[in-house]
Amino acid sequence: MTMRHILTLNAGSSSIKFALFEDAAGPVEILRGQVERLGTATPHLEARSSSRILADERLDPERATDHEAALTVVIDVLQRAAGRATVDAIGHRIVHGGLAFTRPIVVADEDLTRLEALNPLAPLHQPHNLSGVRAAHRAFPGALQVACFDTAFHRSHPWVNDTSALPRELYEQGVRRYGFHGLSYEYVISRLQEIAPQAEKGRVVVMHLGNGASMCAIRDGRSIGSSMGFTALDGLPMGTRCGQLDPGVVLYLLQEKRMTAAAVTDLLYNHSGLKGLSGLSQDMRELEAADTPEARQAVDYFVDRIRRELGAMAAVLSGVDAIVFCGGIGEHAWRVRERVCRDFEWLGIALDARRNRASETVISSEGSDISVFVINTNEELMIARHTAQLLAAGGKT
């Protein structure tokens, strides 16, 4: 039997993350990497397998002018590492699926047109996700193209967690609380099912903390509520995004400060969050190392909003049985985890300081009523699993 191969692509505004999997009994990762800083004078390629670094180099800018050019670089890496192995299917992360796309699909031209209409709801991600699909279709014309949606995991929300207090016709037109980071949450729950099946069946709060940050209330493996809403601006403060904000602030900026809609969009998406508060950086590692008053205040605000949301999630779930930290900050910033959980003994949380500093899988103490986990999320593997299922089904959604 010929081994089938699945490529996963996560196309961002200035990068493409990729991973190659062999699909036997289940997808097994062969390599992963990313091409960063597309369209700049200093594009960079990183790639590695389980046993070695395959690439870590600055690229000629002409080789990474856009996503299509970057895919040529990705193909070179694949050929060097895996020979002339055929790519049978490509799985894409698509941030926003709206109302229509509630499960992974094989992408048709008409789907791309419908998904383009959602670009204003995820301007940092959606246009580039779709650009990656088009580039992959040209580069791999014979491969099955599969779209996997970050919003799909949250379509199980009850109505009260899916709506806003606006005229009902807007809800019917699609103004809803969609939630995001669904592929990450889906993977984390699958991993929790392996390591702590009793916890997975209960009331779980997962914190995806990274440059994009959100939290999700999950019961019996299904999303009940998300900190993110109609767009990926809502909820927690993020690297450059504001998080929860009084809509009156937007009206004030438009009406009193005479800012254009484009300028407000740029402010809220690209110059707010940790970067805006600190005036320094969106990188938690740099903020913790800087130790300036502004950097400390930025981290203080980030932690405070997480703690507020944790209380809200406990209310949504009528209690909590387990908490999971994931994402770049959630997996590596032990000080943030410590501060988030501090003084939550009344809820039943007790951390083990040694385990937390070592970023072990279980960081709660033996006597903690609530189990606290650190799980390295793997959106690429989740995409590969969905893609493998559609590939096995002959491309039938």
Side-chain angles (χ1 to χ4, degrees):
M1 178 178 172
T2 303
M3 182 68 69
R4 296 195 292 192
H5 292 85
I6 294 170
L7 176 65
T8 65
L9 294 178
N10 182 352
S13 59
S14 61
S15 67
I16 287 187
K17 296 179 182 178
F18 61 93
L20 184 66
F21 295 81
E22 286 184 345
D23 181 27
V28 176
E29 184 181 305
I30 301 174
L31 63 90
R32 69 166 54 216
Q34 59 183 340
V35 184
E36 298 180 289
R37 300 192 288 274
L38 301 182
T40 73
T42 59
H44 191 264
L45 166 67
E46 293 180 3
R48 67 181 186 278
S49 66
S50 58
S51 59
R52 62 192 178 98
I53 296 174
L54 302 172
D56 185 1
E57 60 191 81
R58 180 172 169 175
L59 298 173
D60 183 329
E62 293 299 316
R63 297 190 66 201
T65 54
D66 55 24
H67 293 83
E68 188 158 3
L71 262 181
T72 302
V73 175
V74 172
I75 293 169
D76 288 345
V77 173
L78 298 180
Q79 289 182 339
R80 276 186 277 153
R84 295 193 174 275
T86 300
V87 173
D88 299 280
I90 303 175
H92 301 268
R93 179 196 177 202
I94 307 295
V95 166
H96 213 306
L99 294 178
F101 300 97
T102 59
R103 64 180 185 272
I105 63 164
V106 176
V107 185
D109 289 342
E110 57 268 26
D111 297 321
L112 289 177
T113 301
R114 296 167 72 190
L115 289 167
E116 277 183 337
L118 299 171
N119 284 357
L121 308 189
L124 292 187
H125 303 89
Q126 194 86 349
H128 309 293
N129 296 160
L130 301 182
S131 176
V133 175
R134 291 190 176 93
H137 181 73
R138 287 188 289 268
F140 301 94
L144 196 71
Q145 305 286 336
V146 175
C148 302
F149 303 98
D150 260 336
T151 50
F153 182 70
H154 302 290
R155 292 299 82 223
S156 55
H157 282 180
W159 183 82
V160 293
N161 293 335
D162 197 44
T163 192
S164 301
L166 293 169
R168 199 175 189 95
E169 57 265 27
L170 289 173
Y171 178 79
E172 300 301 333
Q173 293 166 15
V175 180
R176 305 187 180 196
R177 295 187 58 81
Y178 289 99
F180 298 90
H181 292 133
L183 292 164
S184 174
Y185 292 130
E186 191 177 3
Y187 173 79
V188 165
I189 288 301
S190 73
R191 185 76 182 103
L192 193 61
Q193 189 174 39
E194 295 172 354
I195 63 177
Q198 287 303 116
E200 183 270 336
K201 293 176 183 177
R203 301 161 298 180
V204 183
V205 176
V206 182
M207 307 179 188
H208 179 105
L209 307 179
N211 193 49
S214 69
M215 293 169 62
C216 186
I218 300 171
R219 182 189 293 128
D220 296 326
R222 293 166 61 85
S223 175
I224 302 301
S226 171
S227 63
M228 280 185 168
F230 182 58
T231 71
L233 276 177
D234 199 10
L236 304 179
M238 295 164 246
T240 64
R241 283 171 269 170
C242 60
Q244 184 273 330
L245 184 70
D246 180 346
V249 173
V250 177
L251 298 177
Y252 173 78
L253 295 176
L254 292 170
Q255 296 170 353
E256 300 300 323
K257 291 296 186 180
R258 305 297 183 189
M259 293 178 68
T260 65
V264 173
T265 299
D266 185 49
L267 172 69
L268 300 184
Y269 276 100
N270 299 312
H271 303 288
S272 299
L274 294 173
K275 180 181 177 182
L277 286 170
S278 69
L280 175 66
S281 174
Q282 65 205 61
D283 191 311
M284 181 61 69
R285 294 165 296 186
E286 293 183 22
L287 296 180
E288 289 185 332
D291 200 32
T292 64
E294 295 81 6
R296 288 195 297 272
Q297 287 178 333
V299 178
D300 288 347
Y301 183 76
F302 183 69
V303 169
D304 184 72
R305 296 306 308 191
I306 296 169
R307 288 171 56 83
R308 283 192 181 205
E309 196 65 37
L310 178 55
M313 294 294 180
V316 167
L317 292 167
S318 300
V320 180
D321 299 308
I323 293 169
V324 181
F325 289 91
C326 68
I329 296 173
E331 294 165 19
H332 302 294
W334 67 264
R335 292 180 181 86
V336 170
R337 294 195 301 261
E338 180 182 83
R339 293 182 61 188
V340 166
C341 294
R342 186 181 298 158
D343 300 325
F344 260 121
E345 289 84 2
W346 60 270
L347 187 62
I349 300 173
L351 284 194
D352 182 296
R354 182 194 62 79
R355 291 175 178 174
N356 181 48
R357 293 191 179 204
S359 296
E360 294 185 6
T361 300
V362 179
I363 61 172
S364 47
S365 66
E366 297 297 333
S368 182
D369 293 331
I370 294 175
S371 299
V372 185
F373 300 87
V374 177
I375 295 178
N376 295 338
T377 194
N378 194 335
E379 293 162 309
E380 289 77 16
L381 180 54
M382 201 69 244
I383 293 169
R385 287 174 178 171
H386 286 308
T387 304
Q389 289 174 352
L390 286 176
L391 187 61
K396 296 180 181 180
T397 303

